[in-house]
Amino acid sequence: MVSTNGFAAHSSTTPLVPFAYEHRDPGAKDILIDIQFCGICHSDIHQARNEWGNSLYPMVPGHEIVGTVRAVGSEVKKFKVGDLAAVGCMVDSCRTCPSCSAGEEQYCERQATVFTYNSKGKDGKLTWGGYGEHIVLDEDFALSVPKNLDLAAAAPLLCAGITTYSPLKHWKVGPGKKVGIIGLGGLGHMGLKFSHAFGAHTVQFTTSASKIEDAKKLGADEVILTTKEGWATKHAGSFDFILDCVSAEHDLSPYLSLLKRDGTLCAVGAPEKPASIHAFSVLGRRNYTGSMIGGIAETQGMLDFCSKHNIVSDIEMTSFDKIEEAWECVVKGDVKYRFVLDLKTLKR
Ligand code: NAP
Ligand code: ZN
Ligand code: ZN
């Protein structure tokens, strides 16, 4: 067994505390990664606090993982010892259903997607995430990290990056399209960077006046402060696609009114409480849909795109003794734009 130190939540109401646990010994197709950096995703907080009602404890959160391969099984082909490797939100799936066969393992039709944490592996044991020293997983679900990217700033690509890249690609965002991004947080700022890089006219919606100048620097052609009276009127019926990256309850009707006929509002944000939509908001043949992370092949494609276009996350480094403070900042929307944990700050 691979003895590992990390931080875990033991209930929805108690803070994360140091925790010792074990990963399996690497099997023939497994790699063992020494984790160097892990991003803090709002999903870590939703799940540790059981806001989605599906939490398993003890929970070692973290699914924006980058590090160095320390050991490889006898049949491993993609990695050798010393390589950089990354892990996102999934570590396994059924691999044979139509979704898995199409490289969309996150939509596994047998409900057999094994998530990086808060999930059980095929051996029935809890999985442990990136707020710890090591991870062991099948090489098929590990990603290669392009060498030209700053390693800490690349970590958030593994969730915030792919979660925004995948729907923007799926709905063919590009030149000639008017695209909105709601919420300038971890996901939102990556969505903004990608939409801009794909050549769309990109409009950032934010509730934070303090983020307006940043949004322009990150690639927004226009920024709309949604706390201002009448903000939606000027843009009514003009958007092809809007990506909703908000983590808390908010009214969808003004955003639906901004869509053109056949335009699409896509949720990636997953607030604790359900949203309500009046039929009149969508009767103009407007689509409301959602998207979850992205498949493994697409995630590698996203990393290669980032390598080519030199795209990483804007990060603030933090340490294990400040996790609770960092989480409170995330909940308040006060992070520019992703916290990343440095595993060197973990006391062993
Ligand atoms: P985050 O960094 O906290 O960003 C959320 C942003 O939403 C904030 O920065 C803020 O932007 C806005 N916001 C927060 N509270 C709001 C409120 N009450 N009303 C309006 N806007 C508000 O979170 P994140 O890590 O990007 O994650 C965002 C959401 O996506 C979370 O729910 C997370 O669980 C979910 N998620 C889903 C997937 C998926 O596969 N679908 C993957 C990862 C994460 P402004 O300050 O600009 O208004
Ligand atoms: Zn995430
Ligand atoms: Zn499957």
Side-chain angles (χ1 to χ4, degrees):
M1 291 303 215
V2 181
S3 301
T4 307
N5 293 299
F7 266 60
H10 291 273
S11 82
S12 63
T13 52
T14 47
L16 297 192
V17 289
F19 179 60
Y21 52 102
E22 286 175 336
H23 282 285
R24 64 175 181 262
D25 282 322
K29 284 200 73 229
D30 287 340
I31 62 171
L32 162 60
I33 301 173
D34 287 337
I35 300 175
Q36 283 167 262
F37 301 104
C38 183
I40 295 181
C41 178
H42 206 122
S43 304
D44 300 346
I45 305 172
H46 287 309
Q47 292 177 92
R49 298 183 176 171
N50 198 22
E51 290 173 358
W52 296 339
N54 66 348
S55 295
L56 304 170
Y57 301 100
M59 183 192 301
V60 177
H63 56 207
E64 295 184 335
I65 297 168
V66 290
T68 307
V69 176
R70 202 225 288 184
V72 297
S74 57
E75 290 169 24
V76 167
K77 295 197 177 69
K78 262 186 358 189
F79 297 93
K80 56 183 192 318
V81 171
D83 282 351
L84 293 177
V87 185
C89 301
M90 308 179 273
V91 292
D92 210 344
S93 75
C94 93
R95 302 175 186 228
T96 55
C97 76
S99 289
C100 287
S101 303
E104 305 270 20
E105 302 89 353
Q106 72 280 25
Y107 302 125
C108 175
E109 289 154 45
R110 297 203 175 91
Q111 316 287 315
T113 307
V114 179
F115 293 96
T116 304
Y117 68 88
N118 193 27
S119 190
K120 284 185 180 165
K122 285 179 180 152
D123 57 4
K125 292 189 177 153
L126 276 177
T127 54
W128 312 112
Y131 291 18
E133 298 168 292
H134 315 295
I135 188 163
V136 174
L137 78 160
D138 188 309
E139 65 161 341
D140 291 348
F141 281 74
L143 291 308
S144 297
V145 187
K147 288 202 181 78
N148 64 320
L149 299 180
D150 178 85
L151 193 59
L157 300 176
L158 277 300
C159 176
I162 185 60
T163 300
T164 50
Y165 179 94
S166 181
L168 292 170
K169 278 278 182 201
H170 182 80
W171 277 279
K172 301 189 170 46
V173 160
K177 295 280 172 71
K178 184 170 172 183
V179 172
I181 307 288
I182 318 176
L184 193 58
L187 265 58
H189 93 292
M190 289 312 308
L192 175 53
K193 287 187 187 204
F194 286 133
S195 178
H196 175 71
F198 296 164
H201 181 90
T202 308
V203 180
Q204 179 70 47
F205 299 97
T206 180
T207 61
S208 307
S210 61
K211 296 180 184 173
I212 293 175
E213 288 313 310
D214 278 0
K216 289 180 188 159
K217 284 189 208 130
L218 291 165
D221 296 291
E222 296 174 67
V223 186
I224 297 177
L225 188 61
T226 56
T227 49
K228 232 170 134 181
E229 197 72 27
W231 62 270
T233 330
K234 183 180 144 203
H235 294 268
S238 68
F239 280 82
D240 296 283
F241 184 75
I242 301 178
L243 191 64
D244 186 345
C245 304
V246 174
S247 53
E249 203 178 3
H250 57 291
D251 185 7
L252 298 180
S253 12
Y255 297 104
L256 288 163
S257 77
L258 298 184
L259 295 174
K260 287 179 181 169
R261 169 171 50 83
D262 296 325
T264 297
L265 172 61
C266 175
V268 284
E272 179 177 8
K273 297 207 177 80
S276 84
I277 294 177
H278 198 287
F280 284 115
S281 301
V282 288
L283 291 184
R285 219 165 70 191
R286 293 165 170 141
N287 305 296
Y288 180 62
T289 185
S291 181
M292 190 168 66
I293 47 174
I296 294 298
E298 188 174 37
T299 305
Q300 192 62 58
M302 179 270 313
L303 288 168
D304 298 343
F305 179 88
C306 288
S307 169
K308 200 164 155 205
H309 297 269
N310 212 10
I311 293 174
V312 285
S313 173
D314 285 29
I315 58 167
E316 292 186 42
M317 293 305 299
T318 190
S319 53
F320 279 86
D321 57 346
K322 295 206 178 85
I323 290 182
E324 288 298 319
E325 285 156 72
W327 277 21
E328 283 320 307
C329 287
V330 173
V331 171
K332 282 189 280 181
D334 177 21
V335 47
K336 294 192 168 172
Y337 280 90
R338 198 57 137 186
F339 282 116
V340 173
L341 283 165
D342 183 341
L343 267 290
K344 284 203 293 290
T345 67
L346 182 73
K347 292 194 181 67
R348 291 151 220 238

